Structures are given as C-alpha cells and as structure tokens.
Amino acid sequence: MADQQDLTEIEATLRTLYDALKGLDDGAVADYIPELAKADQGWFAICLCSPEGRIYEVGDARQAFTIQSVSKPLLYGLALDTYGREFVATRVGVEPTGDSFHSIIKLDEQSKRPHNPMVNAGAIAMTSLVQGVSPTDRLVRLLGTLERYVGHRVSVDMAVYTSER
C-alpha cells in the first residue's frame, strides 16, 4: 500500500509529465471518419491505476471519447479470458505485421489466421469469439467487459457508428 509520500510523488510525476507533454500538437484528429473530425485536438490527459485500484489523473481525464482501436487489446483480453491462450492462438497470431492498424493484410499462409489481434483483421477474428445467442446478447457481453476494464458505464456512440458505417 502506498503511503502519503508515495502518493505525492506519483501525483507530482504525473503533473510534470502532463506539463511537459500538453503543448505537443503533432498529428491531427482522424478526419477520414467525419464524426471523429469533430474531436478537440486539445484534449489531453494522463491516467494511472495502481494495482490496489487507486486512480491518479491529470488533464481532461473525465472527457468522454470513443475508444476506437483501444478496444483491440480489451477484446483480445476477453477472448483469452473466455477461451484461453491455446484456443485463441488457433484464431489469431501474435507476430508483428509491420503494417498500420487498418491495412488490408493477407492471412498467415500456413494457419490462415490474422498475424495479430491489434490490426483490424485480428480484431474482427476476436469479435467473432464473443459469446452470446444473438447479436444483442454479444454486444451486451462486450459492453459489460469493457465496463469492467474501464470502471464505469460505456455505450455505443451512435453518431460515430453511423459515421464509420
């Protein structure tokens, strides 16, 4: 358990990092999806959760946002939790592709599976493993898992969904 001095040091370190990085303005919001182009490029936060569950945050940490590809490791975690590593490895590899997250990649020649779960093809493979008797049932399970990971309610942003679709 962290004592008060540790808490102060962690908070001070996060504040120092935040102050050093908040002025960076490299990059741009994703404008290839119209709804995402509306995001404020100035939003910035750093959050840390200790193993004990203590949350430290600076900046725009309470700003709601669409998680996009951040969902990929969470979805992969759900698949691993549900089926175990051995089975999941029959559906997706763990090798780097060298390609961007949204590239259209060919499947591994021998296994006929995506190279890893952090590219769209791998995330689609992981999505196919979400259990449920109907699409709604699977969505509820996925949202419930995301809520466990992030510690609060989540929902589908219909404006973003429609924009991406």
Side-chain angles (χ1 to χ4, degrees):
M1 189 76 179
D3 63 22
Q4 189 59 38
Q5 184 174 356
D6 292 336
L7 298 181
T8 303
E9 186 175 339
I10 290 170
E11 292 164 342
T13 299
L14 286 181
R15 174 53 65 183
T16 298
L17 284 170
Y18 178 83
D19 290 341
L21 299 172
K22 70 180 177 184
L24 294 178
D25 63 358
D26 296 356
V29 296
D31 60 2
Y32 58 91
I33 299 169
E35 195 64 26
L36 296 183
K38 297 177 183 177
D40 182 341
Q41 189 169 335
W43 291 336
F44 176 62
I46 301 174
C47 296
L48 172 74
C49 182
S50 74
E52 298 81 28
R54 168 96 166 138
I55 296 174
Y56 306 89
E57 58 188 40
V58 292
D60 301 309
R62 300 298 170 146
Q63 174 61 50
F65 62 95
T66 176
I67 64 173
Q68 300 296 308
S69 286
V70 172
S71 67
K72 291 173 182 169
L74 306 177
L75 186 57
Y76 183 54
L78 173 58
L80 290 171
D81 187 51
T82 303
Y83 295 102
R85 186 173 177 264
E86 188 175 319
F87 177 81
V88 172
T90 68
R91 302 299 177 97
V92 68
V94 292
E95 298 300 321
T97 66
D99 296 322
S100 65
F101 74 95
H102 66 297
S103 66
I104 299 175
I105 61 170
K106 57 184 178 176
L107 301 178
D108 179 76
E109 293 296 323
Q110 293 179 348
S111 68
K112 305 298 183 205
R113 64 186 179 163
H115 289 281
N116 75 57
M118 302 307 141
V119 295
N120 287 355
I124 291 167
M126 295 300 90
T127 300
S128 74
L129 298 178
V130 177
Q131 293 180 334
V133 296
S134 69
T136 299
D137 201 34
R138 289 189 290 277
L139 176 61
V140 167
R141 179 176 170 83
L142 178 58
L143 292 176
T145 298
L146 295 175
E147 288 173 0
R148 282 194 354 253
Y149 285 138
V150 303
H152 59 79
R153 280 202 47 84
V154 299
S155 62
V156 175
D157 185 319
M158 291 308 292
V160 173
Y161 171 77
T162 301
S163 185
E164 291 210 41
R165 192 182 75 195

